[in-house]
Amino acid sequence: MKRIALLKERRSATAGAPSTATGSHCPASGLWSPDHDPHTVLSFFEGHVFPAFDGVPTVWRRRSAGTVSAN
């Protein structure tokens, strides 16, 4: 059965882990970019397993809405 994290646990998980690797679970819903292509921004929901990007395992970094440009 899936365990529902407490709000404090969610905050500490996202504050301490601004990046995570392919194959791991998304710690918080939001916008994420692959490490080697910061201009690509994808949306992932909490619990989603991060995929490879362009067929290559990568590190995903969380983006805030203020750092995403519309260029």
Side-chain angles (χ1 to χ4, degrees):
M1 177 177 255
K2 186 176 177 181
R3 180 179 160 313
I4 298 175
L6 299 174
L7 184 58
K8 287 182 185 179
E9 291 175 346
R10 287 184 185 171
R11 286 185 186 155
S12 65
T14 57
S19 63
T20 188
T22 293
S24 59
H25 292 271
C26 180
S29 297
L31 301 174
W32 295 80
S33 294
D35 201 30
H36 63 277
D37 187 3
H39 298 292
T40 299
V41 180
L42 300 172
S43 177
F44 292 103
F45 292 104
E46 182 178 349
H48 183 91
V49 176
F50 283 108
F53 184 74
D54 285 339
V56 179
T58 188
V59 172
W60 292 90
R61 298 201 182 276
R62 184 142 193 229
R63 303 290 298 264
S64 64
T67 62
V68 177
S69 65
N71 293 344

